[in-house]
Amino acid sequence: MPGRPDQSSAEEALAGAERKGFRLAVIGRTGALVAFAFFYLTLYAFPNNVYVAGVLLLAAAIGLIPLRLARSRFERTARFALFALDAAAASAILAFAPLSSGGDVPQNLVFLSSRTEYFYVIVAASILALSPALVIWTGLCAVIGLASATAWIMLGMERIVSLGDLPSSPSRDDVFAVLLSPYFLGIPVRVIEGLVILLVTCIAALAVHRARNVVRANAAGEVERNRIQRIFGRYVPPQVAEQLTQGGQLAPQLRTASILFADIEGFTRLSETLPPERVIRMLNCFFGAATAIIDERGGVVVNYIGDAFIAAFNAPLPADDHPDRAVNAARDLLSLVSEQVFEGHQLRLRIGVATGPLAAGTVGGEARHTYTLYGDTVNLAQRLEALNKDFGTDSLSVAPPSMACIRSAWMPWQWGRYRCVAARDQPESMLSVGKRGIRVSAKVRHSRHCMS
């Protein structure tokens, strides 16, 4: 069904978020219980301090068990059981833990302490697991625990004094007599506490639900972006596809860049002797290896044109040393075709490399865009590739590579004769290298009329 992969990825992202959040909750719970245990040991009298500290440490150890059940079929059950256990423990503290070790203090006075606030801490911890069901479950367990503790305390009381025992217009003494009575329980207050816990639980569950929707939307959006990049990246450079999916289009750029134009020598004649499927396989094999070289050198293959391709350095991806990168990529491409065969055939390349100003950006209609390069530099790279026929070379460049690059990639080299490039009027310094040797390094004068 359409959308199922996106939904599956979103659910996987949610499951991972739940798992990490629950782990964080358990770690926080364990640290808090250990801290409370040492607090009781140091501030309360023996033997009550030892009993309480022992129970707290046992509860901390039990809480680590669900972590061992992660990614098992009992993982979800263990989470619900742990928070139910915490709510039960808080209820037991209300109902059974004595308020003082110094005498018989009525247990109903526990509601004058801060012990009921433990329930809010438990509900808050459940939020970290990013599960609305778990939050609601924890809140219900807290309310049931509060009600159970209240009922147990009521059963042990000889009589119960509540706010209902106040007269309609109570005096100061009447209020003190009720509120400070050792039999005061305040049932309406307990009911309000339970309702407040339920209200907090519902708000927390709603917040978690919204957070899950955000996680789900982000995961689905990421899957869609990856899908678009995978599909779109087959037709444009992956770097371009990534920027297009983020911004919708690439901002037009005017910058100095290096262009590499490579063409397979004699490919038309070779393709006439092979079945179409072998021709396509050969091109795919060669283009795949050539693109890997361009990527490794920090360039971008902009377009495939028949048996040729154009690569750019410093557009759209920035590269300060783009002339050197282009020169080294040309050298690597020549090494590739000299050392590897494609569909049983040895290929020869003619390469032109030029550096200069150009314009780059996405063009097209609303339904379809493509990334392209414009400028005299692009044309010059193509013309240099064609001049290899005349010079008997493999690669010609008017890029200004660094001296270190020249020594490693282009030596030995020498200045040679002058050459004209069609449709240009200014001279260029040109270097050449290839498996057929250094044939020429020339200053070429570009003219509409000077052809050779």
Side-chain angles (χ1 to χ4, degrees), residues 166-196:
L166 288 172
S168 57
S169 298
S171 64
R172 182 171 180 269
D173 293 337
D174 292 334
V175 172
F176 282 171
V178 170
L179 295 183
L180 300 182
S181 169
Y183 300 104
F184 178 76
L185 186 61
I187 295 178
V189 178
R190 306 287 77 78
V191 173
I192 292 175
E193 282 181 345
L195 292 176
V196 170

Side-chain angles (χ1 to χ4, degrees), residues 59-337:
I62 293 175
L64 298 175
I65 296 176
L67 296 182
R68 303 287 299 177
L69 300 176
R71 300 183 185 278
S72 71
R73 60 176 180 170
F74 301 109
E75 179 181 19
R76 186 175 178 84
T77 302
R79 294 177 189 172
F80 282 77
L82 176 62
F83 283 101
L85 176 64
D86 284 349
S91 303
I93 291 175
L94 278 178
F96 302 109
L99 290 172
S100 172
S101 58
D104 186 15
V105 179
Q107 194 64 26
N108 56 292
L109 298 183
V110 71
F111 293 111
L112 300 178
S113 69
S114 60
R115 292 185 184 180
T116 56
E117 297 175 4
Y118 295 165
F119 291 116
Y120 297 99
V121 176
I122 297 171
V123 172
S126 69
I127 296 174
L128 294 175
L130 286 181
S131 171
L134 183 61
V135 174
I136 293 175
W137 165 261
T138 304
L140 290 176
C141 289
V143 172
I144 293 173
L146 176 62
S148 300
T150 303
W152 178 263
I153 292 173
M154 290 174 60
L155 290 175
M157 297 176 64
E158 297 179 3
R159 66 188 184 92
I160 298 174
V161 175
S162 185
L163 295 177
D165 295 320
L166 288 172
S168 57
S169 298
S171 64
R172 182 171 180 269
D173 293 337
D174 292 334
V175 172
F176 282 171
V178 170
L179 295 183
L180 300 182
S181 169
Y183 300 104
F184 178 76
L185 186 61
I187 295 178
V189 178
R190 306 287 77 78
V191 173
I192 292 175
E193 282 181 345
L195 292 176
V196 170
I197 292 175
L198 284 178
L199 180 61
V200 170
T201 298
C202 292
I203 295 174
L206 180 60
V208 170
H209 176 71
R210 290 179 59 84
R212 286 173 63 90
N213 286 340
V214 172
V215 173
R216 187 180 287 110
N218 288 340
E222 185 66 25
V223 170
E224 181 64 13
R225 281 192 294 271
N226 292 337
R227 186 185 69 84
I228 292 174
Q229 287 184 24
R230 285 196 304 271
I231 296 175
F232 200 31
R234 299 175 186 173
Y235 305 98
V236 299
Q239 301 93 330
V240 175
E242 181 178 357
Q243 295 187 43
L244 286 175
T245 55
Q246 292 176 354
Q249 63 178 2
L250 287 178
Q253 297 175 326
L254 180 61
R255 59 170 58 186
T256 298
S258 295
I259 301 299
L260 184 151
F261 186 86
D263 185 39
I264 300 176
E265 181 179 332
F267 185 79
T268 301
R269 184 171 58 254
L270 175 61
S271 63
E272 291 173 351
T273 65
L274 298 174
E277 58 271 15
R278 285 197 62 188
V279 174
I280 298 301
R281 283 201 303 268
M282 179 189 299
L283 284 176
N284 286 336
C285 186
F286 166 70
F287 284 147
T291 301
I293 289 174
I294 299 298
D295 290 344
E296 184 178 353
R297 290 295 182 181
V300 173
V301 175
V302 176
N303 200 4
Y304 301 100
I305 309 169
D307 59 312
F309 68 87
I310 299 177
F313 298 81
N314 202 38
L317 303 180
D320 294 335
D321 55 344
H322 55 91
D324 290 2
R325 291 176 182 267
V327 166
N328 285 321
R331 181 190 60 180
D332 294 344
L333 289 170
L334 294 177
S335 299
L336 170 69
V337 295

Side-chain angles (χ1 to χ4, degrees), residues 334-387:
L334 294 177
S335 299
L336 170 69
V337 295
S338 67
E339 298 170 359
Q340 185 174 336
V341 295
F342 301 89
E343 285 293 310
H345 294 272
Q346 189 87 44
L347 302 180
R348 284 185 180 275
L349 284 184
R350 292 195 301 264
I351 302 174
V353 179
T355 295
L358 55 82
T362 52
V363 297
E366 264 186 50
R368 183 178 177 183
H369 284 77
T370 185
Y371 181 77
T372 190
L373 306 171
Y374 296 98
D376 194 50
T377 304
V378 181
N379 299 332
L380 178 57
Q382 294 174 308
R383 290 166 185 158
L384 289 171
E385 179 274 321
L387 277 178

Side-chain angles (χ1 to χ4, degrees), residues 14-36:
L14 281 173
E18 287 183 12
R19 194 171 289 115
K20 291 178 181 178
F22 180 73
R23 180 180 179 85
L24 180 62
V26 170
I27 293 175
R29 171 187 183 276
T30 303
L33 289 177
V34 170
F36 276 127

